Amino acid sequence: MKAIRVEEFGGPEVMRLEEVPDPKPSGAQVVVRIRAAGVNPVEVYIRSGTYPRKPALPYTPGTDGAGTVESLGPDAKRFKQGDRVYLAGSLSGTYAELALCEEQFVFPLPAAVSFAQGAAMHVPYATAFRALFQRAHALAGETLLVHGASGGVGIAAVQLARAAGLRVIGTVGSERGRKLVWAEGAHEVLDHLAANHFEEALAATGGRGYDLILEMLANVNLGRDLGILAPHGRVSVVGSRGNAEITPRDMMGRDGAILGMSLWNTTPQELISIHSALVAGLENKTLRPVIGQEIPLAEAARAHTAIMASGAYGKIVLIP
Ligand code: NAP
């Protein structure tokens, strides 16, 4: 099969399409023929060698993907050859024509959901779900700021929170993103590049503040997020690309909380629970992953440049 291989950490150009042996399933493993692989910022951090979790070299990047079951190990019982599925991680990397997976982390892809949409499910949707419900215990009736709503995690959070009965305000950095976040269900959309957007965000709550903020760029926003929390408000920190300065009294005066989260800390049991909810959301159409760009697998380097650019619009996926 063909797969992207990384022989050394570095820039996007270290990803090369190579011929490698086909994976073979054993035990409760499944090989999936990948029809689309999701591209996430974390794969850029890992490839560049700056992320705390480093794979042994050489490796094939990618955690997210969707396709059809190609072959099964003798103890894999939930699927049959040809079934449409999406993955929550793989043992061999998803930037490839085939991926070796543990059957427990393979989930059915409803007929109406495309492979590209399936490839958007794991990192973006599972992260949004965990940040909202497992870490911050979001409740119907609460007011949520999705700070960075136009990308993979942001769109997922807007859809999940709307379906759960929260009032949702999203922020974006482009006009195209604004239309998208609005169409996906936000009650209001603000521009996170506007100098006064924190004042606008507070005004959107009638001055009461946010019960919950899902933060995609904590190094830029965390300090001021604390000043627009409601009493007992929580900031769920999903993304950060540097250090932040905070005023602890902003949090103390509100009994507020900053909650860190990493999808990698999710237990297998929690992951299966999350994906049970996500599959239900795909089936009842409250979850509708938005695909902004489909890029050929051979051009993975271009996808890594695109995912770090501003003006996010849903998901970027690679097509083998
Ligand atoms: P993405 O698709 O590239 O989207 C990035 C988002 O950040 C866009 O909505 C972008 O908006 C927004 N953004 C840019 N500047 C911002 C600002 N000043 N304030 C607020 N938002 C801003 O990435 P993603 O997949 O959604 O991931 C978002 C972040 O979460 C990344 O840093 C990623 O590494 C992290 N993440 C963490 C976990 C975890 O386990 N903790 C899991 C998944 C992702 P515009 O482009 O419209 O400006």
Side-chain angles (χ1 to χ4, degrees):
M1 69 156 174
K2 288 200 163 43
I4 294 290
R5 299 294 281 167
V6 174
E7 311 268 344
E8 57 178 338
F9 297 115
E13 69 287 350
V14 301
M15 293 190 291
R16 296 199 187 94
L17 193 64
E18 290 178 9
E19 193 64 36
V20 298
D22 287 1
K24 300 271 178 284
S26 63
Q29 294 174 342
V30 172
V31 170
V32 175
R33 181 158 292 277
I34 297 291
R35 306 287 183 187
V39 177
N40 295 290
V42 69
E43 290 132 33
V44 175
Y45 317 150
I46 293 172
R47 187 217 67 225
S48 66
T50 59
Y51 200 61
R53 290 170 74 251
K54 286 190 189 60
L57 294 168
Y59 75 98
T60 294
T63 302
D64 293 357
T68 52
V69 172
E70 181 84 0
S71 56
L72 302 104
D75 303 326
K77 307 286 182 212
R78 282 172 49 230
F79 298 101
K80 58 180 190 322
Q81 208 180 15
D83 281 353
R84 301 173 87 251
V85 293
Y86 77 87
L87 328 174
S90 81
L91 300 164
S92 58
T94 57
Y95 288 17
E97 290 177 326
L98 298 168
L100 181 67
C101 309
E102 291 181 45
E103 189 189 35
Q104 63 173 336
F105 301 129
V106 176
F107 300 92
L109 188 67
V113 183
S114 70
F115 291 124
Q117 289 179 303
M121 288 312 295
H122 178 49
V123 170
Y125 276 83
T127 297
F129 188 98
R130 181 168 164 77
L132 282 170
F133 302 116
Q134 293 185 338
R135 293 293 287 136
H137 303 291
L139 293 173
E142 290 194 315
T143 301
L144 164 72
L145 180 68
V146 182
H147 217 161
S150 47
V153 180
I155 292 292
V158 169
Q159 294 174 355
L160 283 163
R162 269 311 297 261
L166 283 87
R167 180 156 186 270
V168 181
I169 287 89
T171 76
V172 299
S174 73
E175 194 47 40
R176 195 166 164 249
R178 173 187 293 275
K179 288 191 181 124
L180 174 65
V181 171
W182 186 259
E184 292 308 319
H187 293 92
E188 284 196 44
V189 186
L190 306 173
D191 177 357
H192 49 228
L193 302 179
N196 66 342
H197 88 269
F198 283 92
E199 288 79 10
E200 287 181 352
L202 189 58
T205 68
R208 178 180 167 272
Y210 288 85
D211 301 298
L212 184 52
I213 298 178
L214 228 63
E215 183 51 65
M216 303 304 155
L217 202 56
N219 54 303
V220 173
N221 297 319
L222 185 60
R224 295 191 70 192
D225 283 344
L226 300 181
I228 59 167
L229 281 180
H232 308 285
R234 298 88 77 202
V235 183
S236 209
V237 177
V238 173
S240 187
R241 294 178 180 168
N243 295 335
E245 191 175 309
I246 65 163
T247 302
R249 275 182 196 278
D250 284 341
M251 205 167 54
M252 293 154 63
R254 295 170 165 88
D255 274 17
I258 301 172
L259 304 163
M261 67 80 54
S262 169
L263 186 61
W264 314 114
N265 294 333
T266 314
T267 65
Q269 210 173 359
E270 286 172 328
L271 260 191
I272 290 164
S273 167
I274 290 172
H275 283 284
S276 301
L278 298 182
V279 171
L282 288 175
E283 286 170 346
N284 68 27
K285 299 188 171 47
T286 52
L287 304 184
R288 308 160 303 273
V290 174
I291 306 305
Q293 281 192 72
E294 296 190 6
I295 295 177
L297 179 62
E299 296 174 41
R302 178 156 72 86
H304 273 206
T305 304
I307 189 83
M308 298 310 280
S310 56
Y313 191 92
K315 273 308 297 177
I316 298 172
V317 298
L318 292 169
I319 307 294

